Amino acid sequence: MAKEDVLLLDFWVSPFCSRVKIALAEKGVAYQQRGEDIFGGKSELLLKSNPIYQKVPVLLHDGKPMCESTNIVHYIDETWPSPPLLPASAYDRARARFWADFIDKKLFDAGGNIWKTKGEDQAAAKKELIQILKYLEGGLGDKDYFGGDSFGFVDIIAIPLTTWFFAYEKFGNFNVEEECPKFAAWTKRCLGRESVAKTLPDPQQVLEFVSMMRKMHGIE
Amino acid sequence: MPTNDVKLLGAPASQYVNRVQFALNLKSIDYEFIPQNMREKSELLLKSNPVHKNIPVLLHGDKPICDSLVIVQYIDEFWFDGPSILPSDPYDRAIARFWAAYIDDKWIPFFKELTTAKDEESKTALVEKILEGLKLFEDVFVKASKGKCFFGGETIGFLDIVLGCYLGWLKAWGIQLDVNFLDESKTPALVGWAERFSSDKAIHGIIPETEELFRILQIILARAADAASK
């Protein structure tokens, strides 16, 4: 597969872009990457490829654009089948899609509510995040990964969001490992994987980014 | 397939439940419909969907599957020898999933906002957004159908089910607001599609009659007004 066939429109701190990068790395797919200036001015290609949301990530395969990270990871799994990211059985795939949807709808927003607010609102947001992580611990059970023995779809959907936890912990004054040790153990396990370790930004840099966002939002 | 192997926890007027019924019908799967009272949730529902406590839930044997889009994909993958619901090409599947998520995350919520919209100005703004969405779907239909009858092409597919489930409610809201949402002069392709979809034998009879949905809508609006005044 020539490198020019696959292009990712990217933003370094976006956990949603990281999902796509990890999935492509797991599949051994060579691709080009173009960083978008989210604050300075989005590129023509981005605006044309994703007119509805005007957001990254966008994956262009042979010039055909795809948007929304979970959707893109699905596409990557179906286009380059080996190694498989989704489990084999229809029921296990349904469980994986259920957890991916739960993570998409709940996790990032709950975290955002922690660094965007203070006082009672922040306390409520922290409680919500912990509850979400406890649900995910339930989904993980005693398994190494959400799909079982192998790193897969749900792990890819969830792990990039954990790079923002250091920032949530700092501004929310709590510790994920103390509250949800199983989730923390799963995080460490995933971070030991090459595709994950090489892709994810340093949580310290994410913290600096979130600090900048707080100033921009006038929260101090 | 014996009836007691497949059960659907739902309510007849829920568009999300209707999606699952369409999919089961398309695959000719017999199932037992177990109506749920959402104001007094059953033990079975709470046990089967502890995270969201919501309908639809498909029970296949003792395995619960939740979330309408997840269930429809499950039905398509488990009963793979029936007619396909998702497109076969991965890119077409990505487009179908994108628009399905848009319908659920952006478009249908406009109607939820309408139930609590306080003044005429906000109602008008929401109606505009809904109509803009329908114009988008018109373009999507033209591209996806490639001149055939449905979003899925020759046969009913994923996007037909995801959007089509809302046709009854669209009519009920149209009566409520005195708006013709599916206008032949604005979205002619969708108008034709809606007629073909609704009269298909796998679909017909699932969505409740518009009068019934309108009646339920009055109850929903009354409850929302009540809650707002507290």
Side-chain angles (χ1 to χ4, degrees), chain B residues 106-210:
Chain B
K106 300 286 172 202
W107 192 72
I108 289 181
F110 291 145
F111 294 92
K112 296 196 171 118
E113 280 184 70
L114 270 172
T115 61
T116 52
K118 290 193 167 51
D119 50 48
E120 284 312 306
E121 209 185 307
S122 31
K123 281 183 196 162
T124 308
L126 285 164
V127 168
E128 261 319 298
K129 286 183 184 171
I130 290 166
L131 288 168
E132 274 162 25
L134 286 165
K135 276 206 211 99
L136 278 175
F137 303 149
E138 172 88 356
D139 288 338
V140 174
F141 176 79
V142 168
K143 283 200 189 98
S145 63
K146 299 181 175 95
K148 306 267 181 350
C149 297
F150 301 106
F151 284 90
E154 303 229 348
T155 52
I156 286 175
F158 193 60
L159 267 186
D160 298 284
I161 289 176
V162 174
L163 183 59
C165 71
Y166 212 69
L167 287 171
W169 283 106
L170 195 60
K171 280 196 203 129
W173 272 110
I175 299 170
Q176 178 67 28
L177 300 165
D178 195 25
V179 172
N180 183 16
F181 280 113
L182 279 183
D183 186 334
E184 182 113 33
S185 66
K186 299 202 175 97
T187 53
L190 277 188
V191 170
W193 163 78
E195 274 163 41
R196 285 188 300 273
F197 178 81
S198 304
S199 56
D200 186 279
K201 66 176 177 359
I203 307 301
H204 187 68
I206 300 292
I207 300 176
E209 294 293 333
T210 309

